[in-house]
């Protein structure tokens, strides 16, 4: 998916919501456990219930690969089922180099046909460039994350006073463009989103932490906005586990619709879509 198509989907859906498919066998409603593929059946119903309210889906790969071959099969079926106008993100957090990196890219961009994959930049340029060689595919670099451990390294400063995450942003932005490179910027770091936006003014942000982790949609939009939105705000548990009963899909749809409604207001206030 190109940047132009992604922005058009945001406008037409009146949403910049990404639904995280962190599908946990321990949390799937019991009535699905007797089906042939509980993971896929759960995802299928979630997708059907939320597709009118989101622009992207983000399966967390760990929830699938821990199940072995069957988990990968469930993931492939899920990706094939997602409507083609939705942006798909492999939340894999890969970060190796050389042939390993190239084969990771082949896995997620050719075999699975994701639009994007999350990458840890610790090993440098040669851990990212193999993914950037694919036309109309995206690399999403971990820049400023929402977890407690982010304080261990990301805010370390060098002798000039520059923080490590700031260095990562400045360096990696030279390897790609706003057409193929995004950044993970956690919503619970709202005070720093503005700093990130100043460094990379035109790149899209994938923003986790809104919802169950307590991040603010209003603050994220205030500090991270661009003229073309520039945000994909992810919600996983807050949507897909809105209910653990047989009405799980219905409740997920209601929650996604609620978030979409809040985003529509923001999109109108920012002038990206009309009030008509």
């Amino acid at each position: 998916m190109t940047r132009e198509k992604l922005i058009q989907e945001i406008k037409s859906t009146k949403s910049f919501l990404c639904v995280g498919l962190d599908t946990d066998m321990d949390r799937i409603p019991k009535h699905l456990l007797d089906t042939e593929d509980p993971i896929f059946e759960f995802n299928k119903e979630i997708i059907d219930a939320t597709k009118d309210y989101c622009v992207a889906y983000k399966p967390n790969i760990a929830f699938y690969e821990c199940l072995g071959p069957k988990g990968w099969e469930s993931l492939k079926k899920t990706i094939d089922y997602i409507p083609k106008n939705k942006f798909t993100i492999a939340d894999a957090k890969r970060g190796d180099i050389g042939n390993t990196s190239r084969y990771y890219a082949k896995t997620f961009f050719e075999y699975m046909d994701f639009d994007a994959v999350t990458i840890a930049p610790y090993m440098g340029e040669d851990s990212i460039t193999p993914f950037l060689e694919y036309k109309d595919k995206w690399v999403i670099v971990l820049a400023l994350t929402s977890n407690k451990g982010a304080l261990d390294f990301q805010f370390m400063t060098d002798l000039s006073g520059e923080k490590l995450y700031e260095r990562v942003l400045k360096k990696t932005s030279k390897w790609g463009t706003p057409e193929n490179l995004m950044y993970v910027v956690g919503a619970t770091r709202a005070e720093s989103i503005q700093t990130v936006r100043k460094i990379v003014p035109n790149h899209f942000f994938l923003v986790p932490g809104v919802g169950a982790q307590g991040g603010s949609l209003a603050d994220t939009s205030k500090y991270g906005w661009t003229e073309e939105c520039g945000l994909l705000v992810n919600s996983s548990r807050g949507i897909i586990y809105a209910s653990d009963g047989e009405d799980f899909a219905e409740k997920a749809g209601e929650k996604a619709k609620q978030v979409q409604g809040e985003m529509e207001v923001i999109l109108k206030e920012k002038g990206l879509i009309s009030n008509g």
Side-chain angles (χ1 to χ4, degrees), residues 129-148:
T129 49
F131 295 87
L132 292 171
E133 294 172 0
Y134 283 80
K135 180 178 172 59
D136 297 334
K137 300 291 187 179
W138 295 75
V139 169
I140 307 179
V141 174
L142 300 175
L144 183 63
T145 57
S146 56
N147 60 306
K148 179 181 177 182

Side-chain angles (χ1 to χ4, degrees), residues 185-259:
V185 183
T188 57
R189 307 283 177 200
E191 71 282 359
S192 298
I193 293 177
Q194 190 172 27
T195 301
V196 176
R197 181 51 80 199
K198 288 179 180 178
I199 297 171
V200 283
N202 299 312
H203 291 72
F204 261 83
F205 293 170
L206 172 64
V207 185
V210 170
Q213 295 184 48
S216 166
L217 178 60
D219 285 346
T220 297
S221 301
K222 178 181 178 181
Y223 296 119
W225 196 262
T226 71
E227 290 184 356
E228 298 176 317
C229 180
L231 298 170
L232 293 176
V233 172
N234 182 78
S235 179
S236 300
R237 290 168 291 169
I239 289 178
I240 68 174
Y241 300 130
S243 169
D244 60 2
E246 293 190 13
D247 64 345
F248 76 95
E250 178 185 352
K251 294 301 182 183
E254 291 174 1
K255 184 62 178 177
K257 184 177 181 180
Q258 175 191 329
V259 177

Side-chain angles (χ1 to χ4, degrees), residues 67 73 136 156 170 173 207 218 275:
L67 300 173
E73 181 182 342
D136 297 334
M156 293 176 65
K170 292 175 183 177
S173 64
V207 185
N275 285 305

Side-chain angles (χ1 to χ4, degrees), residues 21-233:
L21 296 174
D22 299 2
T23 309
D24 188 341
M25 283 290 288
D26 293 333
R27 299 191 68 176
I28 288 178
K30 291 181 174 57
H31 72 283
L32 293 179
L33 295 178
D34 292 331
T35 61
E36 181 181 352
D37 189 340
I39 294 284
F40 174 65
E41 290 301 324
F42 179 86
N43 288 349
K44 179 176 179 293
E45 292 199 40
I46 291 291
I47 293 164
D48 287 342
T50 61
K51 63 185 178 183
D52 292 335
Y53 311 117
C54 70
V55 297
Y57 289 97
K58 180 179 71 66
N60 186 321
I61 304 305
F63 288 87
Y64 301 86
E65 61 188 359
C66 71
L67 300 173
K70 189 165 182 59
W72 283 101
E73 181 182 342
S74 300
L75 178 61
K76 182 67 166 67
K77 287 161 65 177
T78 296
I79 291 302
D80 290 344
Y81 188 77
I82 292 172
K84 298 304 179 187
N85 60 319
K86 303 301 177 184
F87 191 73
T88 54
I89 302 167
D91 191 3
K93 299 180 178 71
R94 299 306 196 247
D96 214 316
I97 59 173
N99 283 335
T100 306
S101 189
R102 279 191 287 274
Y103 280 118
Y104 278 143
K106 188 178 181 71
T107 297
F108 294 112
F109 288 159
E110 294 186 32
Y111 175 62
M112 288 289 179
D113 199 25
F114 277 96
D115 293 306
V117 61
T118 56
I119 301 295
Y122 189 79
M123 293 185 74
E125 183 176 8
D126 39 352
S127 65
I128 293 175
T129 49
F131 295 87
L132 292 171
E133 294 172 0
Y134 283 80
K135 180 178 172 59
D136 297 334
K137 300 291 187 179
W138 295 75
V139 169
I140 307 179
V141 174
L142 300 175
L144 183 63
T145 57
S146 56
N147 60 306
K148 179 181 177 182
L151 298 173
D152 291 339
F153 300 118
Q154 293 171 29
F155 286 85
M156 293 176 65
T157 57
D158 61 19
L159 293 177
S160 70
E162 186 174 66
K163 294 180 176 63
L164 179 58
Y165 80 83
E166 295 172 336
R167 176 67 173 170
V168 168
L169 288 162
K170 292 175 183 177
K171 192 73 172 178
T172 58
S173 64
K174 298 176 182 178
W175 302 337
T177 73
E179 304 290 330
N180 65 1
L181 191 65
M182 298 188 188
Y183 291 97
V184 174
V185 183
T188 57
R189 307 283 177 200
E191 71 282 359
S192 298
I193 293 177
Q194 190 172 27
T195 301
V196 176
R197 181 51 80 199
K198 288 179 180 178
I199 297 171
V200 283
N202 299 312
H203 291 72
F204 261 83
F205 293 170
L206 172 64
V207 185
V210 170
Q213 295 184 48
S216 166
L217 178 60
D219 285 346
T220 297
S221 301
K222 178 181 178 181
Y223 296 119
W225 196 262
T226 71
E227 290 184 356
E228 298 176 317
C229 180
L231 298 170
L232 293 176
V233 172

